[in-house]
Amino acid sequence: MADHVQSLAQLEILCKQLYETTETGVRLQAEKALVEFTNSPDCLSKCQLLLERGSSSYSQLLAATCLSKLVSRTSNPLPLEQRIDIRNYVLNYLATRPKLAEFVTQALIQLYSRITKLGWFDCQKDDYVFRNVIADVTRFLQDSVEHCIIGVTILSQLTNEINQLNLCLCVQADTSHPLTKHRKIASSFRDSSLFDIFTLSCNLLKQVSILAFWVIFLAEPYFSDPTSCASTSAAVLVFQSLSDPNNYHEFCRLLARLKSNYQLGELVKVENYPEVIRLIANFTVTSLQHWEFAPNSVHYLLSLWQRLAASVPYVKATEPHLLETYTPEVTKAYITSRLESVCIILRDGLEDPLDDAGLVQQQLDQLSTIGRCEYEKTCALLVQLFDQSAQTYQELLQSTNSSTIDITVQEGRLTWLVYIIGAVIGGRVSFASTDEQDAMDGELVCRVLQLMNLTDSRLAQAGNERLELAMLSFFEQFRKIYIGDQVQKSSKVSTFTVTTHTLLCFRPETITNLKYWGQCEPITSKTLQLLNDLSIGYPLPSVRKLVKLSAVQFMLNNHTSEHFSFLGVNNQSNLSDMRCRTTFYTALGRLLMVDLGEDEDQFEQFMLPLTAAFEAVAQMFSTNTFNEQEAKRTLVGLVRDLRGIAFAFNAKTSFMMLFDWIYPAYMPILQRAIELWYHVPACTTPVLKLMAELVHNRSQRLQFDVSSPNGILLFRETSKMITTYGNRILTIGEVPKDQVYSVKLKGVSVCFSMLKAVLSGNYVNFGVFRLYGDDALDNALQTFIKLLLSIPHSDLLDYPKLSQSFYSLLEVLTQDHMNFIASLEPHVVMYILSSISEGLTALDTMVCTGCCSSLDHIVTYLFKQLSRSTKKRPAAMATDDRFLLIMQQHPEMIQQMLSTVLNIIIFEDCRNQWSMSRPLLGLILLNEKYFADLRNSIVNSQPPEKQQAMHLCFENLMEGIERNLLTKNRDRFTQNLSVFRREVNDSMKNSSYGVNSNDMMS
């Protein structure tokens, strides 16, 4: 016994050292000791000892965490009886100790959820012992407030746990398809428990209003302290339950049923609802005014008032809700508190929220709705505050005795005001706006423009980055609301701005920012994004007016580093800093196309800076020694520029000008760059992306004359680049896991996209390559196979961009180049089929759909070959025989995919049912006996009373289906499958179908 007590004391000391000490060495030693404890044989018994006798919350947390690891482990898993005991122990522990530390309660609930999920299909005496969720939780919901909170948290956490693909499930030894098992658990949970949880939650929502009302009035003194995190959490619970005024009548009826010991008396009267709103408003205002004590509560408070303000147009209750009275007070409190915070933050050296762009944007999104409620009051306040700050700011700038601190304070205040003005203008979309409100927007816009003129005049001496970012945020909101095809023509502001928006967005912000802020990446990138958005062309008359502006003409004629410093290759700290150049030239390309037409002279004039850059790189490559770093920077900047132009040129006339300019003159330079720097992804990736863009037949822009060989020549260049890069990148050897994507897989992914684009572009007749003995096509396809075999299956699905590029390419290959697939070695064919099998269960719908299409092409090819072999026709080609032989030697691959597809359609939330149906018919026709066995297995897994209905579903599935893959027959099967899935789901709603469904994956 003494040993246990001593061991417990030591564990508690270690826990305290782990979570509280500031000494790194002590914490590391404690962590090492606790890891050893977790792996010890007596860990389970010691965890129970910590929970029962531990005096520290940290020791309880350790016990809960260790138990979660024990129930999740795959080697030497805990017996079923032991896991049941742990589950029951945790529930009893929570029930008898409702006031544990919040993080301990959360860890124990997580443990319960994990046990429940992993044991969902475990039976004990024909009873699914881990599915009694409602019974487990009901006793909590019928007890005290603390117990109710625990019960609700259990339901919430369990639902989240079921919906997540856990690592422990991925590595479990009992299945080779963790995603499928996860989905089966989720589907079973959905059908057997989720509706009950939903019903229970709806009932709780009514009860929580009573609880919330009681908390508000009896705990008002507690709420009066906004510095308390607990008060904020409780307030959030209260506020969320009262966010819909229309529910107040129901609320009062429920409240009237309370027992007298709640001492609520007259509070059940409807007229007391305004008192609730008043109390909430006062608490919100007080919390906003004391922002420095509870900064994290601002999000929750604004979230509440956003809902309340958004509900105002839909309130049908006759009683006054008084939101029009209190919402402006909340708006005022937020705005004034942000302005007052500027001086305090600067004085005390606190963390400035303006540096957290995500936080600022989140709050502004919420305020945009709140501020439009009683907008005239919001506008009047903003006008008053803005005029005061702008006047003070101007006076400080004109005075020779002004301190830097005073100027910085006013710039901070103006930054907040510009952000807020942009937000409330953006909030116009949430309300039916009037001409008067549009006029108010105009008042605010004019003030921001005046401030912009003032700040622009100072840029040569000094500038404020935060204020410039606020200006850009304002202009982006203004563009969304008042510039574009969605703008109401009757809008007074929009009538003015459609003709003058270029004055707003181009002369001051775009040109000035790109000139003076070229070294500031946030400002440059946001400015270029604004320019890009405005150049898209909606409405077209606006863009035509835009192009005629002298500022835009200046950009089109002077896009060099001399005028725009971010284009300078010597000013970049690293090669990746040049990404914004693509956005810049995409916008310029669109603007150039407006009046370009067939004017080749104008195009040549525009391309002069890029021509000079290409010539400079060519000159460097022609010498034995050159400045490699300068060459890299020049080339990367150049190809990024060209990619932007190529993306913008989506018409045949303009794109052919670009094509004739770059080919054949400059293509060897790109090829040379790949040869030299294949191991430098910062160089090769931009080059490969440019090539992928050039071969992309977007909007049918790649249309060559009938006598032109350019389509074939372009493919030769593509094949050469893929082959050069692919063969060299395979020589770099082993790459660390954390670098494998950036060093290798990203470039490979772009090559796959490039090959897919050129194969599906419809401007090359690929039959001519074999006809004339040209190996360009074979080289490209063989390089693809080499690259593919160098990638593990797991990586194909772990990296989304690689997944999408590979499976889209595979879809094209199986559709148009099946003879090539059929000629591959058996291990390559098996690799491709395995990748399709894995992709069928991918969470990415695009990947899953691509796999279905690829599988359909393969199955159709096999079916046709088998059909031909049974007819009196010339013998099939040797390659065809080899492919058929592989399938006959490994029938399990096709059978496995038949099981997978059918499993997804029957047991999962199949979102691409049509795509799944296309290969399924061919799979069934190729494996009729296996399908019959599979059907019998599924039918027999159902309860006896449902087996006949399930059998009938399968009979109806094949009703009227012939043994062919003609379009008419496929369409009939797709229709049957839709009915089949609906009938099966209806049949199994109350059935424990998960018992033998694992057989489908065998």
Side-chain angles (χ1 to χ4, degrees):
M1 184 65 181
D3 292 341
H4 285 300
V5 174
Q6 183 179 4
S7 177
L8 178 63
Q10 291 175 346
L11 285 173
E12 293 198 316
I13 292 173
L14 290 172
C15 290
K16 188 173 182 179
Q17 291 175 345
L18 177 64
Y19 292 109
E20 292 185 352
T21 185
T22 59
E23 299 180 18
T24 305
V26 175
R27 186 170 62 252
L28 290 175
Q29 289 294 329
E31 182 177 359
K32 181 179 178 181
L34 290 176
V35 169
E36 294 177 356
F37 160 73
T38 305
N39 297 325
S40 63
D42 57 347
C43 176
L44 184 60
S45 60
K46 288 186 177 179
C47 285
Q48 184 175 354
L49 190 65
L50 283 173
L51 289 172
E52 292 178 351
R53 301 186 183 182
S55 59
S56 166
S57 297
Y58 294 136
S59 61
Q60 295 168 334
L61 175 63
L62 173 67
T65 305
C66 290
L67 288 174
S68 292
K69 292 180 179 178
L70 286 175
V71 301
S72 303
R73 71 186 182 189
T74 56
S75 60
N76 191 24
L78 295 179
L80 175 61
E81 292 76 10
Q82 206 163 33
R83 285 183 284 129
I84 294 174
D85 291 341
I86 294 175
R87 191 273 309 270
N88 294 337
Y89 180 85
V90 169
L91 290 173
N92 290 328
Y93 193 86
L94 289 169
T96 55
R97 296 171 175 82
K99 296 184 179 181
L100 292 167
E102 184 177 354
F103 57 85
V104 176
T105 301
Q106 186 66 31
L108 290 169
I109 293 174
Q110 175 68 37
L111 169 59
Y112 168 81
S113 302
R114 182 64 56 82
I115 293 177
T116 301
K117 178 175 182 177
L118 297 181
W120 192 255
F121 288 123
D122 290 342
C123 287
Q124 187 182 53
K125 298 179 180 178
D126 297 329
D127 179 28
Y128 290 101
V129 288
F130 292 104
R131 297 192 187 183
N132 302 321
V133 177
I134 300 300
D136 293 341
V137 174
T138 299
R139 60 171 175 164
F140 287 93
L141 301 179
Q142 295 174 346
D143 210 318
S144 66
V145 174
E146 292 86 357
H147 286 88
C148 284
I149 293 175
I150 293 174
V152 172
T153 307
I154 289 175
L155 293 177
S156 174
Q157 183 60 47
L158 177 60
T159 304
N160 289 334
E161 178 71 24
I162 292 290
N163 201 40
Q164 293 177 358
L165 179 60
N166 305 106
L167 179 62
C168 58
L169 194 61
C170 290
V171 296
Q172 281 192 352
D174 63 339
T175 176
S176 59
H177 295 268
L179 181 58
T180 300
K181 181 171 183 179
H182 158 73
R183 284 174 163 171
K184 288 165 64 177
I185 293 173
S187 299
S188 177
F189 175 80
R190 175 197 64 198
D191 293 338
S192 63
S193 302
L194 192 57
F195 181 76
D196 294 335
I197 293 176
F198 173 75
T199 304
L200 183 60
S201 300
C202 290
N203 294 331
L204 287 173
L205 281 176
K206 298 179 181 179
Q207 299 174 21
V208 77
S209 297
I210 302 174
L211 173 63
F213 209 82
W214 174 78
V215 172
I216 262 191
F217 281 91
L218 296 190
E220 181 175 359
Y222 189 50
F223 283 174
S224 64
D225 177 15
T227 66
S228 168
C229 293
S231 73
T232 300
S233 300
V236 169
L237 173 65
V238 172
F239 296 160
Q240 298 292 352
S241 68
L242 296 175
S243 59
D244 186 355
N246 288 321
N247 290 334
Y248 187 66
H249 294 285
E250 177 66 18
F251 167 77
C252 290
R253 283 195 293 270
L254 291 169
L255 191 64
R257 301 173 189 169
L258 287 176
K259 296 181 179 179
S260 58
N261 60 358
Y262 281 97
Q263 301 177 1
L264 291 177
E266 295 297 313
L267 296 180
V268 298
K269 294 184 178 180
V270 172
E271 55 265 24
N272 282 317
Y273 181 81
E275 180 65 14
V276 177
I277 296 296
R278 181 197 65 79
L279 182 59
I280 297 174
N282 290 342
F283 177 82
T284 303
V285 170
T286 304
S287 296
L288 291 174
Q289 291 171 343
H290 295 81
W291 57 269
E292 66 271 29
F293 297 108
N296 294 331
S297 67
V298 174
H299 163 73
Y300 299 102
L301 296 173
L302 293 180
S303 178
L304 163 74
W305 285 96
Q306 181 186 26
R307 291 193 188 94
L308 290 173
S311 69
V312 169
Y314 308 101
V315 173
K316 299 177 182 178
T318 57
E319 292 78 12
H321 50 70
L322 296 183
L323 290 175
E324 71 279 4
T325 300
Y326 294 115
T327 301
E329 294 184 9
V330 173
T331 303
K332 180 179 179 180
Y334 177 82
I335 295 173
T336 55
S337 65
R338 299 312 99 176
L339 301 186
E340 292 168 359
S341 71
V342 174
C343 184
I344 299 173
I345 289 171
L346 190 63
R347 180 194 66 200
D348 299 340
L350 302 177
E351 185 177 353
D352 196 332
L354 286 172
D355 292 332
D356 189 342
L359 174 66
V360 171
Q361 191 57 52
Q362 184 184 65
Q363 293 182 4
L364 293 177
D365 289 343
Q366 296 166 328
L367 185 70
S368 64
T369 303
I370 303 170
R372 295 298 292 205
C373 186
E374 298 298 309
Y375 186 47
E376 62 278 1
K377 296 180 182 179
T378 301
C379 183
L381 175 65
L382 287 172
V383 167
Q384 175 191 351
L385 294 173
F386 193 96
D387 287 348
Q388 291 174 355
S389 295
Q391 182 178 356
T392 303
Y393 183 53
Q394 190 169 11
E395 292 173 354
L396 289 171
L397 294 179
Q398 293 173 350
S399 173
T400 57
N401 299 323
S402 302
S403 68
T404 304
I405 293 179
D406 290 339
I407 294 176
T408 304
V409 168
Q410 291 306 316
E411 287 178 339
R413 291 170 62 88
L414 288 169
T415 299
W416 274 112
L417 287 170
V418 172
Y419 268 127
I420 292 169
I421 288 173
V424 296
I425 289 177
R428 181 181 185 271
V429 72
S430 303
F431 291 83
S433 189
T434 63
D435 288 345
E436 291 74 16
Q437 290 181 341
D438 287 345
M440 296 176 199
D441 285 349
E443 290 290 324
L444 297 175
V445 169
C446 289
R447 282 166 168 77
V448 176
L449 291 178
Q450 292 171 354
L451 174 64
M452 182 186 62
N453 289 331
L454 177 61
T455 57
D456 283 353
S457 66
R458 299 186 64 242
L459 281 177
Q461 296 81 31
N464 187 293
E465 179 180 338
R466 292 171 179 164
L467 184 54
E468 292 296 334
L469 289 172
M471 295 278 193
L472 288 168
S473 175
F474 159 80
F475 280 121
E476 178 57 24
Q477 294 299 325
F478 183 85
R479 182 196 67 81
K480 290 179 180 178
I481 299 301
Y482 287 112
I483 301 174
D485 56 352
Q486 77 281 3
V487 177
Q488 298 292 330
K489 292 184 178 180
S490 61
S491 169
K492 293 181 179 179
V493 175
S494 64
T495 301
F496 168 75
T497 55
V498 163
T499 58
T500 62
H501 74 275
T502 52
L503 174 67
L504 301 181
C505 299
F506 279 84
R507 180 182 60 80
E509 284 305 294
T510 303
I511 302 297
T512 304
N513 283 345
L514 296 180
K515 180 178 180 181
Y516 289 101
W517 294 99
Q519 302 306 312
C520 180
E521 194 278 333
I523 292 180
T524 300
S525 61
K526 289 183 180 295
T527 302
L528 291 175
Q529 189 57 53
L530 177 63
L531 171 65
N532 186 53
D533 292 340
L534 286 165
S535 70
I536 291 176
Y538 299 104
L540 186 58
S542 298
V543 180
R544 292 194 180 278
K545 293 176 182 178
L546 188 69
V547 173
K548 293 179 180 179
L549 287 180
S550 59
V552 175
Q553 288 298 317
F554 177 84
M555 283 193 296
L556 291 173
N557 296 318
N558 299 277
H559 45 97
T560 63
S561 60
E562 179 183 354
H563 299 93
F564 301 101
S565 60
F566 71 93
L567 295 175
V569 297
N570 295 322
N571 297 326
Q572 309 294 335
S573 59
N574 59 67
L575 296 177
S576 62
D577 290 342
M578 300 185 184
R579 291 193 180 107
C580 61
R581 299 174 64 138
T582 303
T583 305
F584 178 62
Y585 273 95
T586 298
L588 287 190
R590 291 195 184 109
L591 295 172
L592 178 67
M593 280 185 62
V594 172
D595 295 323
L596 179 61
E598 300 177 358
D599 192 342
E600 295 185 4
D601 292 337
Q602 183 182 356
F603 172 78
E604 293 288 344
Q605 182 67 29
F606 176 79
M607 297 296 289
L608 282 178
L610 289 82
T611 303
F614 250 138
E615 295 295 342
V617 176
Q619 182 64 32
M620 294 180 192
F621 283 171
S622 65
T623 61
N624 294 329
T625 59
F626 59 90
N627 188 327
E628 186 173 1
Q629 197 63 22
E630 181 183 354
K632 287 180 181 178
R633 292 182 183 281
T634 304
L635 179 77
V636 171
L638 175 60
V639 296
R640 289 188 183 278
D641 299 345
L642 285 171
R643 182 177 167 224
I645 297 173
F647 183 82
F649 283 11
N650 56 3
K652 176 186 175 182
T653 303
S654 56
F655 190 79
M656 283 299 107
M657 291 182 189
L658 177 64
F659 179 82
D660 292 337
W661 177 84
I662 198 173
Y663 180 84
Y666 301 124
M667 199 62 71
I669 298 177
L670 301 180
Q671 301 285 4
R672 179 62 176 157
I674 293 294
E675 294 174 2
L676 287 175
W677 301 316
Y678 65 91
H679 57 290
V680 184
C683 291
T684 55
T685 300
V687 175
L688 293 172
K689 285 186 175 181
L690 170 61
M691 195 66 185
E693 182 61 39
L694 289 174
V695 301
H696 196 311
N697 195 11
R698 184 180 290 106
S699 302
Q700 298 300 305
R701 61 187 182 179
L702 273 167
Q703 296 181 19
F704 301 103
D705 296 335
V706 293
S707 60
S708 171
N710 284 339
I712 294 173
L713 296 176
L714 178 59
F715 179 77
R716 281 182 175 176
E717 295 295 332
T718 307
S719 173
K720 182 179 179 182
M721 184 168 290
I722 291 174
T723 304
T724 301
Y725 176 79
N727 290 333
R728 282 168 170 75
I729 200 66
L730 291 174
T731 65
I732 62 174
E734 194 70 22
V735 180
K737 181 65 176 178
D738 59 335
Q739 301 176 22
V740 68
Y741 182 76
S742 59
V743 173
K744 176 185 175 184
L745 296 183
K746 187 174 184 179
V748 171
S749 176
V750 179
C751 285
F752 288 173
S753 298
M754 186 195 313
L755 185 56
K756 184 260 181 182
V758 74
L759 289 178
S760 60
N762 293 322
Y763 52 86
V764 183
N765 186 334
F766 292 100
V768 302
F769 292 101
R770 178 170 296 176
L771 182 63
Y772 292 104
D774 192 324
D775 59 359
L777 177 61
D778 286 339
N779 290 341
L781 295 179
Q782 290 299 334
T783 303
F784 156 70
I785 294 299
K786 292 178 185 177
L787 292 172
L788 178 61
L789 294 178
S790 70
I791 304 173
H793 272 133
S794 57
D795 286 351
L796 284 177
L797 292 174
D798 286 348
Y799 300 99
K801 290 184 178 180
L802 177 63
S803 298
Q804 293 178 8
S805 63
F806 165 68
Y807 285 106
S808 61
L809 171 58
L810 186 60
E811 183 178 353
V812 173
L813 288 174
T814 55
Q815 179 178 1
D816 300 325
H817 300 272
M818 196 58 211
N819 286 334
F820 169 74
I821 300 293
S823 68
L824 296 173
E825 295 295 325
H827 71 283
V828 181
V829 173
M830 296 302 293
Y831 183 96
I832 292 175
L833 291 176
S834 297
S835 67
I836 294 176
S837 180
E838 294 289 337
L840 287 172
T841 59
L843 296 177
D844 189 332
T845 304
M846 184 183 297
V847 170
C848 182
T849 301
C851 287
C852 291
S853 182
S854 299
L855 180 59
D856 184 29
H857 296 148
I858 292 174
V859 168
T860 302
Y861 175 86
L862 284 171
F863 188 82
K864 287 182 178 180
Q865 296 303 117
L866 287 172
S867 298
R868 288 173 182 173
S869 66
T870 60
K871 298 177 181 178
K872 295 181 179 180
R873 290 189 177 185
M877 296 174 59
T879 53
D880 297 341
D881 292 338
R882 189 204 312 194
F883 189 73
L884 289 175
L885 181 61
I886 294 173
M887 294 298 96
Q888 292 168 356
Q889 292 175 344
H890 300 279
E892 70 279 0
M893 287 301 302
I894 297 296
Q895 293 171 358
Q896 173 65 56
M897 286 187 276
L898 169 58
S899 299
T900 300
V901 172
L902 195 59
N903 180 66
I904 293 173
I905 290 174
I906 294 179
F907 297 113
E908 300 182 19
D909 185 16
C910 183
R911 298 182 181 180
N912 54 344
Q913 182 176 315
W914 187 91
S915 298
M916 286 282 183
S917 71
R918 307 315 277 185
L920 182 57
L921 176 59
L923 289 169
I924 292 174
L925 295 180
L926 288 173
N927 299 274
E928 292 179 296
K929 183 179 183 303
Y930 181 79
F931 175 70
D933 295 339
L934 196 57
R935 177 193 59 198
N936 295 334
S937 174
I938 296 173
V939 171
N940 293 334
S941 70
Q942 301 303 303
E945 67 276 9
K946 293 184 178 293
Q947 291 183 4
Q948 181 60 35
M950 180 65 72
H951 180 78
L952 183 61
C953 289
F954 277 99
E955 290 293 328
N956 294 336
L957 174 63
M958 304 306 294
E959 179 69 27
I961 302 301
E962 301 174 1
R963 202 178 188 283
N964 63 65
L965 293 179
L966 300 179
T967 301
K968 184 178 180 179
N969 198 41
R970 288 174 180 269
D971 292 343
R972 185 183 296 112
F973 179 79
T974 298
Q975 294 172 2
N976 287 0
L977 186 66
S978 180
V979 177
F980 167 80
R981 186 170 186 271
R982 183 171 62 250
E983 292 177 346
V984 167
N985 285 337
D986 291 341
S987 173
M988 296 192 306
K989 274 185 177 177
N990 300 316
S991 172
S992 301
Y993 61 82
V995 184
N996 297 321
S997 57
N998 274 329
D999 293 342
M1000 296 183 64
M1001 306 308 300
S1002 61

